[in-house]
Amino acid sequence: MSLQGKTAIVTGGGRGIGRAICLEFAAQGANVVINYAGNSEAAEKTAADCEALGAKAAIIKADVSKADEVDAIFALAVEEFGRVDILVNNAGVTKDKLIMAMSEEDFDKVVDTNLKGAFLCMKAASKLMMKQRSGRIINMSSVVGVRGNAGQVNYAASKAGIIGMTKSLAKELAGRNVTVNAIAPGFIDTDMTAVLSDKVKEAILGDIPMKKLGKPEDIAKTAAFFAQDEAGYITGQVICVDGGMAM
Ligand code: NAP
C-alpha cells in the first residue's frame, strides 16, 4: 500500500488509534496533520515519530465540536500542504452511565464530539474534495454503534449516527470521486479502554470470538486500505474490525 504525496488530516491523532493511523499513513509516504484536544505532548511525540519515518507532520489543537476550530484545522492543512486528500474522523470520547444516571451534559458532550465533530469536518473536507474531484473520508464508528451497549446510550447514538452520515455523504459525493466509509472497531487496547475494570474487560473478552482485544495498528491498516487510490470503487461501507464481535 502507498500514500506517497497525499495529505491526511487525522482528528484525535495524538494518541491511541489516531496515533497508529498517523504512523501508518506516514510510513506510506503521506503528510499528516495531527489534531488534538488537549494533550500536546502526545501530539508532539506522534508528529516527531511521523517525521522520523520521513513524513512531514503538523499539529493543531482544536475542539472538533466547534466550527471555527475545525476551519482552522483545514486552513493549516491547505497552508502547509496545499490540499487535503484524506480525512479521518477519529476524535472521540466516552461518558458511560446507565440512562437514569446519564446527565444531559454527558449526552451532549459525547454527541457533540463524536457526531457533530465528524459532521463539521466532513463539511469542510467536502468543500475541498468536491473541487479536487478526489478524496477519501474515513469515519470511526464502533461495534457499539452496530450492536448497542448498556451504559452507552450517548456513545451508541453518536456511533450509529456516524454510520448514517457515512452512507448519506457517500451518496452525495459519489459522482465526485470522493469515497466515504466507516470503520467499526471492536474493543481496542487504548487509553479509552484502559479505564475499564478487569471484570468488565473479562466480560468483553468472553464476547469476542477471537478472545483477544484488538490493537490500534489493526484499525490503522484498515484506514490505510480505504485511503488507497485502488480502493476508489468502495464507498458507503462499514467494516467491522472486531475479532468477530459484531457477527
Ligand atoms: P483515546 O485513546 O481516548 O484518544 C481519543 C483521541 O480523541 C485523543 O487524541 C483526544 O485528544 C481526541 N479528542 C477527544 N475529544 C476531542 C475533541 N473535542 N476535539 C479533538 N480531539 C478530541 O481513544 P481511542 O481508543 O484511540 O479511540 C479513537 C476513536 O476510535 C474514537 O472515535 C473511539 O470512539 C473509536 N473507537 C475506539 C474503540 C476502542 O476500543 N478503543 C472501539 C471502537 C471505536 P487528546 O489526546 O488531546 O486528549
Side-chain angles (χ1 to χ4, degrees):
M1 296 199 285
S2 169
L3 297 172
Q4 200 60 46
K6 307 271 189 202
T7 295
I9 292 174
V10 181
T11 67
R15 293 187 286 128
I17 291 171
R19 170 181 157 84
I21 292 171
C22 289
L23 293 176
E24 180 64 33
F25 283 13
Q28 293 195 24
N31 308 314
V32 285
V33 175
I34 302 162
N35 152 250
Y36 67 99
N39 193 334
S40 56
E41 220 174 280
E44 277 160 17
K45 164 122 184 48
T46 298
D49 291 345
C50 288
E51 281 164 356
L53 290 165
K56 289 185 189 143
I59 66 170
I60 178 164
K61 180 177 179 184
D63 178 346
V64 292
S65 69
K66 307 237 165 73
D68 55 338
E69 298 189 26
V70 165
D71 287 346
I73 303 174
F74 283 79
L76 175 73
V78 171
E79 192 186 304
E80 291 281 323
F81 304 119
R83 53 190 285 124
V84 177
D85 301 291
I86 306 158
L87 164 67
V88 184
N89 279 312
N90 167 79
V93 291
T94 51
K95 286 200 175 289
D96 301 350
K97 285 209 174 79
L98 295 174
I99 195 161
M100 296 313 293
M102 188 178 285
S103 66
E104 201 178 327
E105 288 74 29
D106 286 347
F107 185 87
D108 287 347
K109 173 74 182 168
V110 170
V111 171
D112 280 356
T113 305
N114 301 5
L115 188 64
K116 185 180 165 193
F119 159 73
L120 292 172
C121 290
M122 293 201 309
K123 191 168 173 179
S126 295
K127 202 171 159 191
L128 293 174
M129 291 176 179
M130 281 167 76
K131 254 193 235 150
Q132 287 170 191
R133 293 196 168 265
S134 72
R136 298 279 182 268
I137 298 175
I138 301 156
N139 295 324
M140 214 51 73
S141 178
S142 166
V143 65
V144 171
V146 177
R147 295 188 1 170
N149 195 28
Q152 291 198 303
V153 159
N154 50 0
Y155 187 75
S158 72
K159 294 302 182 178
I162 284 277
I163 294 174
M165 287 204 309
T166 298
K167 293 182 179 185
S168 301
L169 189 62
K171 287 181 177 177
E172 287 188 26
L173 299 186
R176 304 290 184 120
N177 195 31
V178 178
T179 69
V180 190
N181 292 291
I183 302 173
F187 277 79
I188 311 299
D189 194 6
T190 67
D191 293 346
M192 189 177 268
T193 47
V195 296
L196 301 173
S197 69
D198 287 347
K199 201 173 151 206
V200 170
K201 274 193 195 153
E202 231 168 80
I204 290 166
L205 277 174
D207 201 21
I208 303 173
M210 286 188 177
K211 301 291 174 218
K212 58 179 182 182
L213 296 188
K215 298 189 298 299
E217 292 74 21
D218 295 322
I219 309 305
K221 292 281 182 197
T222 310
F225 165 73
F226 277 135
Q228 300 300 307
D229 284 342
E230 291 79 359
Y233 201 53
I234 304 171
T235 197
Q237 300 305 302
V238 183
I239 187 158
C240 296
V241 183
D242 63 356
M245 221 180 155
M247 275 192 289

